[in-house]
Amino acid sequence: MREADTLRPPQLMEVSADIISTVEFNHTGELLATGDKGGRVVIFQREPESKNAPHSQGEYDVYSTFQSHEPEFDYLKSLEIEEKINKIKWLPQQNAAHSLLSTNDKTIKLWKITERDKRPEGYNLKDEEGKLKDLSTVTSLQVPVLKPMDLMVEVSPRRIFANGHTYHINSISVNSDCETYMSADDLRINLWHLAITDRSFNIVDIKPANMEDLTEVITASEFHPHHCNLFVYSSSKGSLRLCDMRAAALCDKHSKLFEEPEDPSNRSFFSEIISSVSDVKFSHSGRYMLTRDYLTVKVWDLNMEARPIETYQVHDYLRSKLCSLYENDCIFDKFECAWNGSDSVIMTGAYNNFFRMFDRNTKRDVTLEASRESSKPRAVLKPRRVCVGGKRRRDDISVDSLDFTKKILHTAWHPAENIIAIAATNNLYIFQDKVNSDMH
């Protein structure tokens, strides 16, 4: 159990820029990228000695840090464009270099990450400082040689995909064909080719002719992990739409609509707000979808549209607190969710720096805490319990003493191992499961 901090600000006014806004493992799990509100991307690399030692805890150290986005200003609309990184997505590795997409509200960038540990020496036409020699002084030719040097990680912008969105980008997803990706904002989804920056194809457009008729917005979208023609997008009304790009160029008419009928007995002023889907993730197998709304995580089978096959309560004890959560705007928080590598356990965040895990096979669940006090290196995380009323056991925490400013919105799970990354405000916690243990 190890804790890694991202950049720590020297001044209080810079703290908000340090807040982590996205976390993403690459396809092997050897690299972990985080983006923050200040437009920075920090990449962590797993220590190499752990690769051949299956039972050792491979720690992640900072590999590279770079400024991905800068604050901008839209002069036509008189709007400031935040530098905050909304999403990071790794591209499947094709060669020695790594590539990732990062996006803020408006602009998506493709970055290439390369290593250099050798430098050429012995040029014929240049001196040691790189200046051109006087050709009259060159009397003999030599073969340049590569000499070892300290490892240097170079990050370079390869492409910038701009001007594709009128509204704020909430998600990007790389297609399984490794050639295209899509980006979604509140009302539209665009399809891009990774090699073409000056145009994209609009594949979903839910903007009504009259904006007063607007009843829902797109909240998240993702490509199917194996079928390059399928993608799903979620809405603020709690529905999922599965679309097939083979059916039509514009996928406004969905192939399948996944929606759970509302229980009239639970109807309240907050029903529509808490039913809004904040995240959707296909399982690694491609058979299931995982969604997160304010109070629950749900597992959907692609073959069953009528209702989810599993529903897990994340923090049902907040149902009585919705009024105060509405007043302090917490009810609009967008929590993400994640699958483990075998699709048997799901994870999502909560308040008070708590995060929840649900084992789909045993139906057991656990609440854990990401904090400095409970997360000393090699320490074992103790399950936490929230007490609603009545008798309290030792170590229980009362629902009235939960800290709603400490929230875990962004989480990621290693694609093959039980290693998780938890973003708790401006701290990144990396936890590893004990060998041969249960999920906690």
Side-chain angles (χ1 to χ4, degrees):
M1 287 66 181
R2 179 181 174 275
E3 171 190 347
D5 292 323
T6 52
L7 302 164
R8 183 133 333 143
Q11 297 175 347
L12 195 61
M13 64 181 181
E14 294 176 4
V15 169
S16 64
D18 233 27
I19 294 172
I20 298 171
S21 52
T22 184
V23 187
E24 189 81 10
F25 279 103
N26 75 338
H27 293 76
T28 62
E30 294 302 304
L31 296 177
L32 171 67
T34 67
D36 65 24
K37 281 196 170 183
R40 291 177 297 249
V41 172
V42 182
I43 301 174
F44 297 87
Q45 184 183 45
R46 199 173 183 191
E47 288 185 353
E49 57 263 28
S50 65
K51 290 177 184 174
N52 300 319
H55 298 320
S56 73
Q57 292 182 317
E59 296 194 345
Y60 285 80
D61 288 318
V62 174
Y63 178 63
S64 179
T65 303
F66 62 95
Q67 189 73 30
S68 171
H69 287 71
E70 301 280 358
E72 296 175 55
F73 191 80
D74 187 332
Y75 291 97
L76 287 174
K77 297 182 178 175
S78 295
L79 285 174
E80 287 185 19
I81 301 170
E82 270 190 309
E83 66 271 39
K84 184 187 106 176
I85 308 296
N86 291 343
K87 284 287 183 285
I88 291 173
K89 291 293 175 187
W90 291 91
L91 272 60
Q93 194 174 359
Q94 309 285 357
N95 48 42
H98 296 276
S99 300
L100 63 79
L101 290 167
S102 63
T103 185
N104 66 351
D105 285 340
K106 298 288 183 182
T107 305
I108 305 155
K109 296 184 181 182
L110 173 63
W111 298 90
K112 184 179 180 182
I113 302 109
T114 53
E115 290 184 356
R116 207 151 55 103
D117 60 359
K118 293 182 177 67
R119 69 171 185 269
E121 284 186 7
Y123 285 108
N124 290 293
L125 303 179
K126 293 179 184 176
D127 61 20
E128 291 177 1
E129 294 177 359
K131 295 177 182 175
L132 282 174
K133 293 180 182 177
D134 182 357
L135 295 182
S136 62
T137 63
V138 179
T139 56
S140 62
L141 292 176
Q142 59 181 344
V143 178
V145 293
L146 290 172
K147 292 281 182 73
M149 59 177 273
D150 290 339
L151 179 68
M152 184 184 291
V153 179
E154 295 178 332
V155 181
S156 55
R158 304 297 289 173
R159 291 183 180 76
I160 296 175
F161 305 88
N163 305 319
H165 288 275
T166 306
Y167 307 97
H168 291 178
I169 298 170
N170 55 47
S171 52
I172 51 177
S173 179
V174 180
N175 200 345
S176 58
D177 64 11
C178 300
E179 288 188 352
T180 56
Y181 76 93
M182 69 176 174
S183 55
D185 64 25
D186 294 338
L187 298 177
R188 297 188 181 102
I189 300 176
N190 292 339
L191 181 69
W192 301 80
H193 193 285
L194 284 162
I196 302 169
T197 59
D198 59 353
R199 64 182 178 274
S200 62
F201 296 97
N202 181 229
I203 52 175
V204 172
D205 188 347
I206 65 167
K207 184 182 177 184
N210 182 359
M211 284 295 276
E212 290 180 3
D213 299 330
L214 183 68
T215 58
E216 64 180 332
V217 295
I218 298 166
T219 55
S221 66
E222 189 174 62
F223 268 119
H224 191 280
H226 310 304
H227 301 300
C228 61
N229 54 290
L230 295 178
F231 68 92
V232 68
Y233 69 91
S234 58
S235 88
S236 56
K237 279 194 166 179
S239 60
L240 301 172
R241 289 174 174 86
L242 187 71
C243 301
D244 189 339
M245 291 192 291
R246 295 173 302 185
L250 190 63
C251 300
D252 285 352
K253 291 179 180 170
H254 49 267
S255 301
K256 288 187 175 185
L257 174 66
F258 300 82
E259 201 167 31
E260 186 174 22
E262 187 185 14
D263 182 355
S265 63
N266 286 337
R267 179 77 189 161
S268 73
F269 171 77
F270 306 108
S271 294
E272 193 166 309
I273 302 173
I274 63 174
S275 66
S276 175
V277 175
S278 55
D279 195 19
V280 58
K281 294 272 171 59
F282 276 107
S283 63
H284 295 85
S285 67
R287 171 71 187 270
Y288 304 104
M289 294 180 295
L290 178 64
T291 61
R292 171 70 205 260
D293 57 40
Y294 191 66
L295 294 177
T296 67
V297 277
K298 295 172 182 173
V299 177
W300 300 78
D301 189 319
L302 256 64
N303 299 325
M304 192 170 86
E305 301 163 62
R307 61 184 179 278
I309 56 169
E310 297 161 28
T311 299
Y312 301 97
Q313 299 294 333
V314 178
H315 38 207
D316 200 49
Y317 46 78
L318 295 182
R319 203 173 283 277
S320 61
K321 304 278 182 188
L322 292 178
C323 193
S324 56
L325 290 165
Y326 178 77
E327 288 171 359
N328 63 17
D329 281 349
C330 283
I331 201 169
F332 302 106
D333 286 335
K334 293 174 169 54
F335 292 93
E336 295 174 7
C337 50
W339 297 90
N340 72 339
S342 62
D343 300 332
S344 61
V345 182
I346 54 184
M347 172 177 65
T348 192
Y351 292 107
N352 209 69
N353 277 359
F354 288 170
F355 59 99
R356 302 270 282 139
M357 286 182 169
F358 303 92
D359 190 315
R360 298 179 60 210
N361 298 324
T362 64
K363 301 302 177 190
R364 289 189 309 122
D365 65 275
V366 67
T367 302
L368 300 170
E369 182 181 8
S371 68
R372 293 177 177 278
E373 294 75 29
S374 63
S375 307
K376 295 188 173 82
R378 306 290 179 264
V380 176
L381 287 181
K382 292 177 182 174
R384 302 301 305 267
R385 206 172 78 97
V386 177
C387 174
V388 180
K391 281 189 175 181
R392 275 179 62 186
R393 286 186 287 184
R394 202 169 69 88
D395 294 336
D396 278 6
I397 182 165
S398 166
V399 67
D400 295 316
S401 57
L402 291 174
D403 188 343
F404 292 105
T405 62
K406 293 179 178 177
K407 54 191 84 170
I408 292 178
L409 303 176
H410 313 289
T411 60
W413 203 309
H414 188 289
E417 299 178 41
N418 275 344
I419 297 172
I420 56 173
I422 306 288
T425 320
N426 60 339
N427 293 319
L428 176 70
Y429 296 90
I430 299 171
F431 300 110
Q432 181 166 15
D433 202 0
K434 302 196 303 293
V435 180
N436 299 325
S437 71
D438 53 28
M439 70 178 181
H440 63 273

